[in-house]
């Protein structure tokens, strides 16, 4: 959720004001207007405050002895000084129109996110603290009772318990725990509900769909129980899925606001949805001290998106994907330490705040062990519920349960940008009695300062299980030694990607993210394609080029030889450079004349399938896309930036329904040493997944 910097909360302390709101709200969606009466219970130790309201609401003091003075405008808000002349609550009455258009945020090549400062309209209502719909005192917490009168058939949604009997358009919400904002969402919803253990699961849809509601209600009960067992009791009276009018993925206290297309994607219930539920512990149950860095997204990503993959046996792949995302999207001029992450505003910030943040917690877990990690999570939650917390509070919680001094680990990994670059040197094996002795050296080769590391080394033997060694790396060069009962076959440094680090060449295959993450490149259009198809390709290229001025678009006939110093996209079966793309390829075979693709032992017809392939070309990533029909191009333009981790894909139909997706096999890297000839070995085994107890 994007909020202006002036509204970001600061750390809670004894001076943090807690405001009691008794709000009575009447809304006319068609006119875009609201009328509000707010009885504000103010702290006794202060008599003067700055409050923020949406401009044009004309607030008046209608009860209580107080003065209200306008101070000036701050973008769409007006600041006022409220001076209380006598003790007791103060009631403000105000009304007016709030309606802002959707705005777009460029999040990377081909990825645009929409947001709103707040709007009241006939299709729905979206209001939060940055909208200025209620008297907001910066750096305060809120407790409230909210009554909303809407047209018959409309229902409002906010935090806490509600909505009561909505048959007349009247909703009632209340939250007794301190909140850092008050949200007001409304539409003509169809409400579905299911009781849970100490809370209620709710679903608000814009059109009746009992089966969709049932899936979300079941998932809500499942994930709330899972995280309650792992972390501590769920902190709210309900959790609700609420359908928004535009495509969003917002997590508010006790509900999530998802777009109409998003909620109907079949995988969202098992992927993004648990992420939003978990935010009720991290971010909405324990608030973020933004001044010292947003730890919440990294921890939520780790215990939702990542943890569910780990439980499904895909932990290694997901950790590698997070490292690859950092490598593909974060350039030196875009890098920053975790304490400077506030919110996602593009692919680079997401790779740091979500990906590096998640790997920070993964390394902490590996350092402490699962039991201490679980106990630390529970301690942190219990001690900081409904308070603002920082990385320092996290450190204290994990230190208290582990007995370890974690200052060097937290200090380096949260305040230092960049990533370590590991190197393997001087690996040797010698006979040692009846066994073998293996020696070598781990190096941190990055120009940046050192990172405190515990580097796993896995050694496969001629007989017996692979041996695992942890090398504590606290200097540029650290020697290691291990004795083995059997002859070593292969030595691999961090083969399961347990360390946040720069990937070594060969550790990960080429994928779409290599192109979407590049600041510069070339998109070649097929000059011989039919005009409607060429036009569609040009529109796709222009959409991907938006915000990336160093990506150039040209016709294939305008470029005699593809450049070797930047990524290249080829579009269309008609592209004159397609034969060069397909030459000496591995993993696929193209018959350009017949428009046939051989992929994964299947022969695919270009007339019915839209393929997308990647490969390395002279050290640069290259990709090719060919739509089976002109009508499929807009869907491909929209969808492909969200498939960044894949090396090859196929789609069918005008809506570009995905049929095949995968990654090319990885090769060995400089972090792997073979004692003799290469051979087929079993896959690297991950450690057991984190359990809830």
């Amino acid at each position: 959720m994007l909020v202006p910097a002036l509204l970001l909360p600061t750390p809670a302390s004894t001076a943090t004001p807690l405001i009691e709101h008794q709000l009575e709200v009447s809304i006319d969606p068609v006119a875009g207007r609201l009328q509000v009466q707010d009885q504000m219970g103010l702290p006794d130790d202060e008599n003067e405050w700055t409050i923020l309201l949406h401009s044009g609401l004309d607030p008046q003091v209608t009860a209580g002895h107080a003065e209200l003075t306008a101070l000036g405008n701050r973008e769409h808000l007006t600041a006022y000084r409220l001076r209380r002349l006598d003790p007791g609550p103060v009631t403000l009455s105000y009304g007016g129109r709030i309606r802002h258009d959707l705005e777009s945020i460029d999040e990377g090549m081909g990825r645009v996110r929409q947001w709103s400062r707040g709007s009241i309209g006939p299709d729905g209502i979206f209001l939060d603290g940055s909208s200025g719909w209620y008297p907001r005192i910066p750096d305060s917490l809120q407790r409230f009772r909210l009554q909303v009168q809407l047209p018959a058939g409309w229902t409002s949604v906010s935090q806490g318990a509600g909505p009561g009997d909505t048959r007349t358009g009247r909703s009632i919400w209340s939250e007794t725990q301190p909140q850092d904002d008050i949200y007001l969402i409304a539409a003509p919803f169809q409400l579905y509900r299911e009781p849970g253990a100490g809370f209620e699961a709710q679903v608000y849809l814009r059109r009746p769909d009992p089966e969709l509601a049932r899936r979300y209600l079941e998932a809500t009960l499942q994930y709330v129980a899972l995280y309650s067992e792992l972390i501590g009791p769920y902190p709210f009276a309900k959790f609700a899925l609420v359908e928004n009018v535009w495509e969003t993925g917002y997590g508010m206290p006790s509900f999530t606001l998802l777009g109409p297309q998003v909620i109907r994607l079949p995988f969202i219930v098992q992927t993004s949805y648990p992420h939003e539920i978990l935010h009720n512990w991290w971010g909405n149950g324990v608030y973020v001290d933004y001044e010292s860095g947003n730890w919440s997204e990294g921890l939520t990503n780790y215990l939702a998106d990542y943890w569910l993959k780990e439980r499904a046996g895909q932990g290694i792949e997901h950790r590698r994907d997070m490292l690859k995302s950092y490598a593909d999207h974060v350039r030196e001029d875009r890098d920053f330490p975790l304490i400077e992450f506030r919110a996602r505003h593009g692919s680079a910030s997401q790779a740091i705040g979500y990906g590096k943040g998640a790997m920070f917690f993964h390394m902490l877990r590996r350092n402490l062990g699962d039991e201490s990690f679980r106990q630390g999570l529970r301690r942190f939650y219990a001690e900081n519920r409904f308070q603002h917390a920082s990385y320092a509070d996290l450190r204290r919680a994990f230190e208290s349960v582990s007995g370890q001094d974690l200052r060097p680990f937290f200090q380096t990994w949260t305040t230092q940008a960049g990533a370590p670059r590991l190197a393997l040197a001087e690996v040797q094996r010698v006979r040692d009695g009846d066994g073998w002795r293996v020696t070598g050296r781990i190096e941190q080769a990055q120009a940046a300062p050192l990172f405190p590391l515990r580097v796993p080394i896995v050694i496969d033997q001629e007989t017996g299980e692979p041996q695992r060694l942890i090398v504590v790396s606290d200097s540029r060069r650290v020697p290691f030694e291990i004795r083995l009962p059997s002859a070593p076959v292969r030595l691999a440094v961090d083969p399961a990607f347990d360390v946040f680090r720069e990937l070594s060449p060969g550790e990960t295959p080429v994928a779409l993210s290599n192109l979407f993450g590049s600041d510069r490149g070339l998109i070649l259009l097929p000059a011989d394609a039919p005009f409607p198809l060429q036009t569609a390709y040009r529109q796709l290229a222009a959409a991907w080029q938006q915000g990336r001025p160093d990506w150039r678009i040209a016709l294939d006939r305008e470029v005699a030889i593809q450049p070797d110093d930047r990524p290249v996209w080829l579009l269309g079966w008609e592209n004159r450079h397609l034969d060069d793309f397909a030459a000496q390829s591995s993993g696929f075979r193209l018959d350009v004349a017949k428009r046939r693709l051989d992929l994964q032992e299947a022969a695919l017809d270009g007339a019915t399938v839209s393929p997308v392939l990647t490969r390395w070309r002279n050290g640069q990533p290259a990709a090719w896309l060919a739509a089976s029909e002109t009508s499929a191009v807009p869907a491909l333009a929209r969808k492909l930036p969200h498939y960044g981790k894949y090396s090859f894909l196929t789609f069918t139909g005008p809506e570009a329904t995905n049929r095949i997706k995968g990654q090319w096999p990885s090769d060995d890297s400089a972090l792997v040493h073979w004692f003799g000839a290469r051979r087929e070995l079993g896959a690297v085994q991950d450690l057991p997944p984190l359990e809830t107890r």
Side-chain angles (χ1 to χ4, degrees):
M1 177 69 73
L2 296 175
V3 292
L6 60 91
L7 293 181
L8 289 175
T10 56
S13 68
T14 55
T16 302
L18 176 61
I19 314 301
E20 305 273 358
H21 295 271
Q22 298 284 335
L23 289 149
E24 296 186 10
V25 182
S26 178
I27 301 180
D28 182 345
V30 175
R33 300 181 65 86
L34 84 169
Q35 191 69 39
V36 181
Q37 179 176 288
D38 183 12
Q39 178 182 289
M40 301 173 64
L42 300 164
D44 293 333
D45 57 351
E46 294 286 340
N47 288 314
E48 189 170 299
W49 296 270
T50 297
I51 68 171
L52 300 170
L53 272 175
H54 194 279
S55 299
L57 295 184
D58 191 25
Q60 305 291 325
V61 176
T62 55
H65 195 193
E67 295 177 345
L68 191 66
T69 306
L71 300 176
N73 292 334
R74 304 182 185 182
E75 297 183 348
H76 63 292
L77 304 175
T78 299
Y80 299 87
R81 181 175 63 247
L82 176 65
R83 189 160 70 92
R84 186 173 56 182
L85 304 177
D86 290 320
V90 174
T91 300
L92 298 183
S93 297
Y94 54 90
R97 189 172 186 268
I98 299 178
R99 185 173 291 178
H100 294 276
D101 294 333
L102 289 176
E103 300 181 37
S104 296
I105 299 173
D106 178 16
E107 291 197 314
M109 191 174 184
R111 299 184 65 171
V112 177
R113 176 161 53 96
Q114 292 183 310
W115 74 289
S116 173
R117 298 175 185 269
S119 183
I120 301 172
D123 55 351
I125 296 166
F126 171 83
L127 300 170
D128 66 353
S130 64
S131 305
W133 76 273
Y134 70 93
R136 178 69 183 265
I137 297 176
D139 304 331
S140 68
L141 295 174
Q142 329 296 319
R143 200 152 47 200
F144 67 90
R145 187 173 187 274
L146 169 63
Q147 299 183 63
V148 184
Q149 183 62 58
L150 291 155
W154 280 60
T155 304
S156 72
V157 183
S158 188
Q159 294 109 294
D165 187 351
T166 63
R167 286 175 292 182
T168 63
R170 187 172 183 82
S171 307
I172 301 175
W173 293 95
S174 62
E175 181 52 72
T176 60
Q177 298 287 0
Q179 302 290 291
D180 61 1
D181 202 350
I182 304 176
Y183 298 90
L184 176 52
I185 313 299
F189 289 123
Q190 175 71 47
L191 172 59
Y192 302 86
R193 54 210 312 178
E194 184 75 26
F199 81 108
E200 184 176 68
Q202 299 179 351
V203 171
Y204 295 79
L205 299 179
R206 290 175 171 267
R207 62 178 186 268
D209 192 335
E211 177 57 26
L212 180 66
R214 182 192 62 78
R215 293 202 301 272
Y216 277 100
L217 291 172
E218 290 179 353
T220 301
L221 298 176
Q222 172 191 349
Y223 290 120
V224 168
L226 179 70
Y227 289 122
S228 295
E229 186 175 19
L230 177 66
I231 304 166
Y234 180 70
F236 296 103
K238 63 114 179 17
F239 184 81
L241 167 73
V242 184
E243 182 178 357
N244 199 10
V245 66
W246 80 93
E247 296 305 325
T248 52
Y250 295 157
M252 286 82 163
S254 78
F255 70 98
T256 182
L257 191 63
L258 301 183
Q261 294 184 33
V262 170
I263 65 172
R264 290 170 175 84
L265 294 172
F267 54 84
I268 290 296
V269 179
Q270 290 82 34
T271 55
S272 300
Y273 192 57
H275 182 107
E276 304 305 339
I277 290 176
L278 182 56
H279 265 311
N280 288 277
W281 282 265
W282 313 132
N284 295 327
V286 178
Y287 301 131
V288 176
D289 168 16
Y290 285 94
E291 290 297 318
S292 61
N294 180 353
W295 49 267
S296 170
E297 291 298 354
L299 185 53
T300 302
N301 186 28
Y302 185 61
L303 293 177
D305 309 66
Y306 166 76
W307 186 38
L308 296 176
K309 292 288 187 181
E310 182 182 83
R311 287 163 60 92
Q314 301 169 21
I316 294 176
E317 293 85 351
H318 197 81
R319 295 194 294 270
R320 185 188 67 176
D321 289 343
M322 288 191 287
L323 299 185
K324 180 169 171 53
S325 179
Y326 178 84
D328 290 341
H329 297 288
V330 181
R331 304 290 178 265
E332 187 174 350
D333 61 342
R334 296 183 196 166
D335 207 351
F336 54 83
L338 287 175
I339 60 169
E340 294 181 12
F341 174 69
R342 303 291 183 266
R344 173 172 60 95
H345 51 78
S347 300
S349 61
Q350 181 171 348
I352 295 169
Y354 288 64
K356 184 176 182 178
M359 287 297 297
F360 166 81
F361 287 105
H362 181 72
M363 291 187 295
L364 178 64
R365 172 189 159 198
R366 288 289 189 249
N367 291 355
L368 299 181
D370 286 5
E371 181 58 28
S372 290
F373 184 74
R374 283 191 297 266
Q375 293 301 323
L377 293 174
R378 292 165 183 160
R379 174 69 65 89
F380 175 66
Y381 178 62
E383 292 179 345
N384 295 282
R385 277 195 2 152
F386 298 110
Q387 301 178 60
H388 293 96
S390 65
Y391 278 109
D393 296 305
L394 278 159
R395 175 180 56 78
R396 284 188 285 269
F398 285 105
E399 285 180 336
S400 66
V401 300
S402 67
Q404 296 187 29
D405 178 9
L406 297 174
R407 287 179 184 272
F409 179 84
F410 271 77
Q411 174 70 18
T412 303
W413 282 104
T414 64
T415 66
Q416 191 168 302
R421 182 187 307 130
L422 299 182
L424 177 63
E426 296 185 354
V427 179
Q428 296 181 354
R429 64 174 180 177
V430 296
R431 276 284 189 179
D432 186 18
D434 293 336
W436 292 81
R437 181 164 58 92
V438 175
T439 59
R441 190 173 69 235
I442 296 293
E443 299 179 353
Q444 291 195 39
Q446 73 277 3
L450 292 169
F451 290 84
L453 300 177
R454 290 170 53 86
V455 182
I457 294 177
V458 177
I459 305 177
D460 294 281
Q461 306 178 88
E462 287 285 359
T463 60
E465 294 295 318
Q467 297 294 301
R468 182 181 174 90
L469 170 69
I470 299 295
V471 176
V472 177
S473 175
D474 52 8
S475 61
R476 287 291 177 188
R477 298 173 179 83
V478 179
F480 65 84
E481 178 180 306
I482 186 172
R483 287 175 168 80
L484 304 171
S486 179
V489 175
R490 179 183 65 180
L491 182 150
V493 175
D494 191 30
F497 306 100
D498 284 305
V499 176
F500 183 79
R501 57 183 175 84
E502 294 183 18
L503 289 170
S504 182
E507 285 193 290
T508 185
V510 63
L512 292 180
S513 58
N514 291 97
L515 293 99
F516 286 128
S518 180
D519 291 330
R520 61 198 295 259
L522 176 64
I523 304 176
L524 291 177
L525 309 177
D528 294 334
F531 181 75
L533 182 56
Q534 185 187 128
T535 301
Y537 282 142
R538 187 174 292 278
Q539 291 170 345
L540 174 147
W544 287 358
Q545 184 194 40
Q546 187 174 359
R548 297 292 181 273
D550 291 329
W551 271 86
R552 189 165 69 90
I553 301 172
L555 290 172
D556 53 1
R557 66 188 178 201
E558 297 172 345
V559 176
I561 301 175
Q562 297 178 62
D564 293 336
D565 62 346
R566 69 196 66 186
V568 176
W569 266 104
L570 303 180
L571 305 184
W573 280 101
E574 304 86 356
N575 202 292
R576 300 183 185 192
H577 299 279
L578 185 53
D579 285 331
D580 178 63
F581 176 85
Q584 298 180 339
S585 61
S586 61
F588 69 90
R589 186 172 61 192
L590 286 178
D591 186 329
V592 178
K594 295 181 179 179
R595 297 199 175 190
R596 195 180 81 167
L597 164 66
D598 293 331
L599 178 67
Q600 290 193 322
E601 300 181 354
L604 305 173
D605 184 355
T608 59
V609 170
S610 299
V612 182
L613 303 175
T614 64
R615 64 169 301 181
W616 292 113
R617 182 184 175 278
N618 297 325
Q620 291 290 337
W624 167 65
L625 175 159
S628 61
E629 52 189 295
T630 302
S631 57
V633 177
L636 290 167
R638 184 179 69 252
K639 290 184 176 184
L640 279 178
H642 300 277
Y643 285 85
K645 72 177 185 179
Y646 296 106
S647 305
F648 57 87
L649 304 113
T650 66
F651 300 86
T652 58
E655 290 302 315
T657 302
N658 178 240
R659 299 301 184 190
I660 297 174
K661 57 187 177 184
Q663 295 178 333
W664 305 127
S666 298
D667 202 353
D668 283 337
S669 75
L671 295 180
V672 174
H673 179 86
W674 286 92
F675 299 92
R678 289 184 55 179
R679 64 178 78 174
E680 290 295 326
L681 296 174
V684 175
Q685 296 300 305
D686 203 0
L687 295 177
L690 180 69
E691 300 295 339
T692 57
R693 62 175 62 189

